[in-house]
Amino acid sequence: MTYKININIAKQIMTLADLNEQLQHSDKPLIASIMKSDNTKLMAIGINSGVTLKQHTAPGRTKLIVIQGQIKYMTDKEILIIDQYQTHDIPLEEVHSVNADTPSIFLLLVA
């Protein structure tokens, strides 16, 4: 089954495979909105090697799920290495950034 997603940066409809292909040539994070309802949002974020998603806070209760590669989830207190298929619950109000040493894609489920 193929899902269409909206790549906010590129302003076009793409598949996750297209996101992965575009990721190979990107020097900034790619953010895609997969699904949005009144209470829930599902986003895909692609980060190429050496690219960092700058410090920010989650907009609500958030579950991070790595679907490709490996990411570094960084706070002022710790650095978590999150591998493919692993998850992490992002605490509310926690300031964090995300970095990747290999091209990586992760999902954010925000409720």
Side-chain angles (χ1 to χ4, degrees), residues 61-64 73 80 82 87-92 94 109:
R61 291 180 333 171
T62 304
K63 169 80 79 179
L64 183 152
Y73 177 92
L80 298 176
I82 306 173
T87 65
H88 175 67
D89 291 319
I90 300 174
L92 285 173
E94 181 173 75
L109 179 60

Side-chain angles (χ1 to χ4, degrees), residues 16 19 23 29-32 34 42-47 53 56 62-73 82-83 86 90 96-100 103-109:
L16 282 174
L19 173 63
L23 176 62
L30 301 177
I31 302 170
I34 296 174
L42 180 62
M43 298 179 292
I45 299 179
I47 300 179
L53 184 60
H56 61 284
T62 304
K63 169 80 79 179
L64 183 152
I65 308 155
V66 177
I67 61 172
Q68 175 183 305
Q70 179 190 73
I71 63 169
K72 292 179 188 170
Y73 177 92
I82 306 173
D83 291 313
Q86 290 184 327
I90 300 174
H96 63 278
S97 61
V98 179
N99 181 290
S104 301
I105 297 174
F106 57 96
L107 301 177
L108 293 176
L109 179 60

Side-chain angles (χ1 to χ4, degrees), residues 1-5 14-17 34:
M1 179 181 289
T2 301
Y3 293 96
K4 296 271 185 182
I5 58 177
M14 304 181 86
T15 65
L16 282 174
I34 296 174

